[in-house]
Amino acid sequence: MFENVDFVNPEFFWLLLLLPIVGVWYFFKRKKQTASLKISSIRGFKGTTSILTKLKPMLFVMRLLALAALITAMARPQREDVSTRTKTTRGIDIVMAIDVSSSMLARDLKPNRLVALKEVAATFIKERVNDRIGLVVYSGESFTKTPITSDKSIVLKSLKEITYGQLQDGTAIGMGLATAVNRIKDSKAKSKVLILLTDGVNNSGFIEPETAAGLAVEYGIKTYTIGIGTNGMALTPVGYNPDGSYRYGMSKVEIDEQLLKDIAEQTGGVYFRATDNEKLSEIYEEINKLEKTDIEEIKYYNYEEEFRFFALFAVGLLVLESILRYTVFRSLV
């Protein structure tokens, strides 16, 4: 009943030290406070002792209990109920620019680069509960797959739908970055972030990556760049089998790491290198830690006074004690 109860004025409990003193005083003084009558013999009163005589000290005990209850009431017991509401005070808008060129089907990540990326990106999206996220895909050209939205189910559905073959093949890093910048530049968020992922060298498109990076700087957009896959030889699609499936062979792959480093440094971001599934997952975890959303926690306190119970208990004891003293115990006073 009295769980989570605090006392506003606990110093009143020092008065409880008076109760043992009063009890000792009553023990030694109660005989002097009782009227006495001297008679020559008590032979006629033997066997007539009433049980009320033995119960009379209970009146004093009731007074002590009432006093203890009043002291507890003065200490002001109070129950505190706390309700919490969180409020996002610094939202982050994030656009993920994903390379979907044929080289993203390379199998140096399992089962291939694109599928590995989608799995890790899905986890990242789910963890950004308070942020808005958009998707841009690019290869030889680029387009916005999902505008910036707070509806994670839409973003996750769009991410799942991303496959190779939706765009002309190639690697237009400048186009992908420019499309992402255009999608987020008018955002009112306090922080605007791009995550650009590629596994190749810019070889398509009519916008240079350096130009797109300059636009990101102009609009205050931080860009994290990720180079995915190995530099050198990797198992990549080299043709089609008669049944329409991809035929794989070892091919030379190359990532323009210097370009990605320059883009990240110029925009205030960081360049990461992912050579396997574990490293790719660690990179997104690191970005998740670097881009923290500020959350304001608002607590509402509701105080419920509990002194009334003790006050009423004390009054009840005193009333009962008075009734007993002037009725049942009246002849013994």
Side-chain angles (χ1 to χ4, degrees):
M1 178 179 179
F2 296 107
E3 294 180 358
N4 303 320
V5 172
D6 293 320
F7 294 90
V8 179
N9 302 311
E11 60 274 9
F12 280 104
F13 283 123
W14 288 104
L15 295 176
L16 293 175
L17 295 176
L18 297 175
L19 300 186
I21 298 175
V22 174
V24 172
W25 173 85
Y26 176 78
F27 178 78
F28 287 105
K29 295 295 184 180
R30 63 190 179 93
K31 289 186 178 181
K32 294 183 179 181
Q33 294 176 340
T34 304
S36 61
L37 176 64
K38 292 182 180 181
I39 59 177
S40 59
S41 175
I42 61 171
R43 184 177 300 173
F45 297 96
K46 286 184 178 182
T48 61
T49 303
S50 172
I51 192 174
L52 295 178
T53 304
K54 297 180 179 180
L55 293 179
K56 181 184 176 183
M58 290 300 298
L59 297 177
F60 180 74
V61 173
M62 292 174 67
R63 285 192 177 186
L64 288 183
L65 289 175
L67 183 58
L70 285 175
I71 292 173
T72 304
M74 288 190 294
R76 197 178 167 190
Q78 202 176 68
R79 189 189 306 276
E80 180 182 273
D81 292 324
V82 182
S83 58
T84 303
R85 181 172 67 89
T86 57
K87 175 184 177 183
T88 303
T89 58
R90 183 177 178 238
I92 298 176
D93 279 358
I94 302 172
V95 171
M96 304 170 68
I98 299 173
D99 187 346
V100 293
S101 59
S102 59
S103 57
M104 286 293 290
L105 300 178
R107 291 179 172 176
D108 47 353
L109 275 73
K110 304 301 180 184
N112 61 48
R113 295 175 181 177
L114 184 58
V115 173
L117 165 65
K118 289 165 61 175
E119 291 175 353
V120 173
T123 300
F124 176 82
I125 291 168
K126 292 174 184 176
E127 292 177 351
R128 307 301 301 190
V129 178
N130 300 290
D131 303 321
R132 300 195 306 165
I133 296 179
L135 297 177
V136 166
V137 294
Y138 70 95
S139 51
E141 51 188 343
S142 64
F143 77 98
T144 299
K145 179 67 174 176
T146 305
I148 297 173
T149 177
S150 58
D151 190 335
K152 302 303 186 299
S153 62
I154 293 177
V155 182
L156 291 170
K157 182 176 182 294
S158 296
L159 178 68
K160 189 175 182 180
E161 293 171 351
I162 294 176
T163 60
Y164 166 69
Q166 296 174 328
L167 297 171
Q168 177 184 342
D169 201 12
T171 305
I173 296 176
M175 292 287 291
L177 181 56
T179 301
V181 169
N182 186 58
R183 177 52 57 189
I184 201 174
K185 66 182 177 66
D186 296 325
S187 167
K188 302 301 182 183
K190 296 260 180 112
S191 182
K192 295 176 282 189
V193 173
L194 297 183
I195 301 176
L196 175 74
L197 183 140
T198 186
D199 66 345
V201 177
N202 186 68
N203 57 22
S204 303
F206 55 85
I207 299 179
E208 293 298 322
E210 294 80 6
T211 302
L215 291 173
V217 173
E218 181 179 348
Y219 289 105
I221 303 169
K222 185 188 298 183
T223 304
Y224 293 99
T225 56
I226 302 174
I228 185 171
T230 57
N231 258 325
M233 303 297 290
L235 192 63
T236 57
V238 294
Y240 290 95
N241 293 315
D243 61 359
S245 62
Y246 295 115
R247 183 171 71 254
Y248 284 83
M250 297 301 292
S251 300
K252 181 177 177 57
V253 290
E254 183 181 0
I255 300 173
D256 193 344
E257 289 194 86
Q258 189 56 53
L259 173 63
L260 298 179
K261 290 177 182 177
D262 291 342
I263 293 173
E265 182 179 355
Q266 188 177 350
T267 59
V270 181
Y271 168 67
F272 298 97
R273 186 81 168 85
T275 54
D276 54 42
N277 295 56
E278 291 73 20
K279 185 61 179 177
L280 180 62
S281 180
E282 290 173 5
I283 288 170
Y284 273 91
E285 288 178 6
E286 183 65 22
I287 296 175
N288 200 21
K289 293 176 183 177
L290 290 172
E291 293 299 328
K292 289 292 186 182
T293 300
D294 293 339
I295 303 296
E296 179 183 359
E297 185 177 75
I298 303 174
K299 289 187 176 181
Y300 298 93
Y301 294 88
N302 180 43
Y303 297 99
E304 184 177 350
E305 300 289 348
E306 300 288 350
F307 71 89
R308 297 178 184 85
F309 169 82
F310 296 97
L312 292 174
F313 179 71
V315 171
L317 280 177
L318 290 175
V319 170
L320 179 60
E321 189 267 348
S322 296
I323 293 173
L324 292 176
R325 180 177 296 276
Y326 293 105
T327 55
V328 177
F329 294 97
R330 182 174 182 181
S331 61
L332 300 175
V333 178

